[in-house]
Amino acid sequence: MKKFRLISVLIIALSLSGCMYWVRAYQTYLQMDEFDRHFSFSVSKDGDFTLNFKEPILFSEDFVSLSKLYASEDIATKDGGRRWRYWFRKLDAKGQIIKPEIKFYSELTFNKEKKITAWSFSSLFLEIAPQKFLEASLRAIGGGKIDKEKRQLRANPEGLEKIADQLPKKAAVIAKLGEPLKIVNEPEQEIYEYRFLLETHSIEKGYEDRAFNDVKITFNKKTQDLVKMSGRFAGLKASIDYRKLQKNPDD
């Protein structure tokens, strides 16, 4: 059955674009069905969160093909690999970088075969995607559904163990991110909108808008809890509804 599923997914991948990087992306998606066999998590002493790839499939060139962007920094590692760091800097209403800077990064590490071995996020990113909830979101990808027409993968949190941790309060998040560009008021929640600029030395023609990364953070008006985050980071769209992952206090 699993072999049949693999063949089916490869056919879907090829039909999406005819490119091998889609095949490798879907093969990586399949690995998430057995998450702990293929992946692990770690946190550095500086608070950086990392997803480790035990049996890497994706190549460095695949990320450029998928995102159409190049990293801010490209550094050689001692083992013959590379480390790509993508810096995101907060913008003000005039489109200028905030001073003093408020910034975070996402980092990809590749081995000497140019395959990804680790994907890291700096501690500031965890202010909008708390560690345990980010871990659960990544695990949920394994049970997700593929939308062939939109080329999207929607995670499925069903079956995952719910998280008992409390979500960050609005005051704590704003203390780290500063004031937003815009606040959208709704009956039961408010949405804080931010914009970050990706520092990159090259963008494929026609994809220049991907350097701008709009982040929306939703807070519950009554509890002041952070309940949802959505954004686009280096061409990668992400949306996490923390309410679907959190354990109900009455359970």
Side-chain angles (χ1 to χ4, degrees):
M1 183 67 182
K2 190 166 185 178
K3 182 177 180 182
F4 174 76
R5 185 182 175 209
L6 174 59
I7 293 172
S8 298
V9 170
L10 292 181
I11 290 173
I12 291 173
L14 287 169
S15 68
L16 284 174
S17 65
C19 297
M20 283 304 297
Y21 63 80
W22 273 108
V23 174
R24 290 189 286 270
Y26 277 97
Q27 286 176 323
T28 301
Y29 155 73
L30 282 180
Q31 287 184 328
M32 291 188 168
D33 269 352
E34 299 178 275
F35 196 93
D36 293 314
R37 175 183 173 184
H38 298 289
F39 304 93
S40 66
F41 299 117
S42 59
V43 179
S44 73
K45 62 181 181 181
D46 296 324
D48 293 358
F49 172 86
T50 299
L51 171 67
N52 300 292
F53 295 69
K54 297 179 182 179
E55 298 176 2
I57 294 174
L58 288 166
F59 288 92
S60 56
E61 63 193 48
D62 295 333
F63 285 88
V64 175
S65 297
L66 288 165
S67 69
K68 313 300 181 184
L69 301 167
Y70 288 85
S72 312
E73 300 173 5
D74 181 358
I75 304 168
T77 57
K78 293 180 180 180
D79 60 359
R82 311 293 300 184
R83 187 170 67 246
W84 290 0
R85 179 170 287 188
Y86 297 81
W87 278 106
F88 300 88
R89 291 179 166 83
K90 183 184 173 185
L91 299 179
D92 62 20
K94 296 181 179 180
Q96 301 298 312
I97 295 175
I98 293 285
K99 298 292 184 180
E101 289 187 346
I102 296 176
K103 60 186 179 180
F104 66 90
Y105 64 79
S106 174
E107 187 172 270
L108 304 175
T109 302
F110 304 95
N111 60 21
K112 61 183 179 181
E113 284 80 34
K114 298 183 179 181
K115 290 184 177 182
I116 183 172
T117 57
W119 193 347
S120 302
F121 301 89
S122 63
S123 57
L124 183 61
F125 184 80
L126 298 186
E127 297 294 331
I128 59 175
Q131 180 186 337
K132 288 189 178 181
F133 291 90
L134 181 55
E135 289 181 10
S137 299
L138 292 168
R139 287 181 180 276
I141 293 175
K145 294 183 179 180
I146 301 168
D147 187 324
K148 177 182 174 182
E149 292 184 0
K150 295 182 180 180
R151 297 186 182 182
Q152 291 181 350
L153 176 63
R154 186 178 297 277
N156 178 17
E158 296 299 323
L160 291 179
E161 183 177 349
K162 299 295 183 179
I163 300 168
D165 289 23
Q166 294 297 309
L167 285 163
K169 297 293 184 181
K170 181 174 74 173
V173 176
I174 302 307
K176 295 292 181 67
L177 292 184
E179 292 300 317
L181 291 179
K182 181 180 179 182
I183 300 176
V184 178
N185 280 295
E186 297 184 354
E188 297 182 355
Q189 61 187 26
E190 51 187 0
I191 304 169
Y192 280 49
E193 298 184 3
Y194 294 85
R195 170 165 279 197
F196 292 83
L197 177 66
L198 170 66
E199 178 188 335
T200 176
H201 65 80
S202 181
I203 305 176
E204 189 171 315
K205 187 176 180 180
Y207 295 90
E208 290 82 4
D209 66 319
R210 291 194 179 184
F212 296 99
N213 299 272
D214 296 314
V215 180
K216 296 182 180 181
I217 308 173
T218 304
F219 299 98
N220 180 296
K221 279 187 174 180
K222 182 179 180 180
T223 65
Q224 296 291 289
D225 286 346
L226 167 68
V227 294
K228 187 177 180 180
M229 180 276 290
S230 64
R232 186 178 68 186
F233 309 96
L236 174 67
K237 292 182 180 179
S239 180
I240 308 175
D241 188 336
Y242 302 114
R243 293 164 293 190
K244 294 181 179 180
L245 302 170
Q246 189 177 37
K247 185 176 181 180
N248 190 317
D250 299 326
D251 290 346

